[in-house]
């Protein structure tokens, strides 16, 4: 019942938004080349999807996003785990991570273009760089916020470092890790589109830029809404995976029930 109520509220808010959009453009006489109404955008979307013109662009953007997202998040998780476990790694790595994060990633796009060309590689690397930091920070924060009582219990039983990490730290940090993954979904899409703005021959970012040159606002809105749908689908997928992986936790932020290691007789 609660889920149904939430979906009804979401649907109602969408209807209100569409009505406000439609009657706002009509009442204020907004020209179609500045802000087309919902029906005009729907017509453009039907044309793009029925003819299949938009699907190659969606495929390119999603590929850039998925590959870059996977690479950036994996490297961030592994590096954050090493930093949390070994102080010397923290002293070496963290200053470089903070300094690199201070650089605007949009400014790196032309450099990546020179280094890796106009193809898929430059966009994938840009997405990976943008996805890296939120996953790194959330993973590191989660690993360091482990239940101290459980850590002391495992140390009292002389548990090896890998077992403490696997049984205590990683489950305790799971919610923080997935929070970083959800943030990275949105940021990764931004990275893919920015890379396509700089130099691309396909992709939703390229389609938006090409449509702006022709004042085809309907295609631009269709592309933007498509990007929004990709982000929403990605968010839903991450939430579904989270509910399966963190099965012991539900919606709470606590760790799963853990059993201390049994001392060998």
């Amino acid at each position: 019942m609660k889920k149904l109520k939430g979906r009804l509220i979401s649907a109602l808010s969408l209807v209100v938004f569409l009505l406000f959009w439609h009657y706002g453009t009509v009442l204020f006489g907004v020209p179609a080349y500045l802000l087309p109404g919902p029906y005009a955008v729907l017509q453009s979307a039907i044309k793009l999807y029925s003819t299949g013109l938009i699907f190659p662009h969606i495929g390119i953007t999603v590929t850039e996003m998925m590959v870059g997202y996977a690479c950036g998040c994996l490297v961030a998780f592994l590096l954050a785990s090493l930093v949390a476990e070994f102080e010397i790694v923290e002293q070496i790595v963290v200053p470089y991570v903070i300094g690199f994060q201070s650089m605007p990633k949009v400014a790196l796009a032309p450099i990546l273009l020179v280094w890796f060309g106009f193809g898929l590689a430059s966009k994938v690397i840009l997405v990976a760089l943008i996805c890296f930091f939120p996953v790194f920070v959330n993973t590191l924060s989660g690993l360091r916020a482990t239940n101290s009582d459980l850590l002391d219990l495992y140390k009292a039983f002389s548990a090896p470092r890998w077992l403490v990490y696997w049984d205590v730290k990683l489950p305790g940090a799971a919610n923080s890790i997935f929070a970083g993954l959800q943030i990275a979904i949105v940021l990764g899409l931004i990275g893919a589109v920015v890379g396509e703005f700089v130099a691309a021959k396909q992709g939703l970012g390229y389609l938006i830029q090409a449509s702006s040159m022709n004042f085809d606002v309907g295609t631009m809105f269709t592309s933007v809404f498509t990007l929004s749908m990709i982000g929403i689908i990605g968010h839903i997928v991450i939430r579904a995976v989270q509910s399966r992986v963190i099965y012991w936790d539900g919606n709470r932020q606590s760790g799963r029930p853990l059993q201390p290691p049994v001392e060998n007789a």
Side-chain angles (χ1 to χ4, degrees), residues 109-179:
I111 300 176
L112 295 175
L113 177 65
V114 172
W115 286 350
F116 300 100
F118 288 81
L120 194 69
S122 58
K123 286 79 173 178
V124 167
I125 293 173
L126 182 59
V127 172
L129 292 175
I130 291 178
C131 291
F132 172 86
F133 194 70
V135 178
F136 177 83
V137 170
N138 279 273
T139 302
L140 185 60
S141 299
L143 291 173
R144 287 181 168 174
T146 307
N147 189 318
S148 59
D149 293 333
L150 282 174
L151 286 176
D152 293 339
L153 180 61
Y154 271 66
K155 290 178 181 178
F157 281 96
S158 301
R161 183 190 292 267
W162 69 266
L163 185 61
V164 175
Y165 174 83
W166 184 258
D167 271 6
V168 181
K169 293 185 177 180
L170 192 58
N175 278 301
S176 296
I177 294 171
F178 276 100

Side-chain angles (χ1 to χ4, degrees), residues 75-89:
V75 172
F77 172 77
L78 295 176
L79 193 59
S81 298
L82 290 174
V83 169
E85 289 295 309
F86 304 101
E87 185 177 353
I88 188 171
V89 178

Side-chain angles (χ1 to χ4, degrees), residues 86-104:
F86 304 101
E87 185 177 353
I88 188 171
V89 178
E90 178 183 4
Q91 294 172 349
I92 295 172
V93 170
V94 170
Y96 290 100
V97 171
I98 295 174
F100 186 75
Q101 179 60 26
S102 301
M103 303 178 187

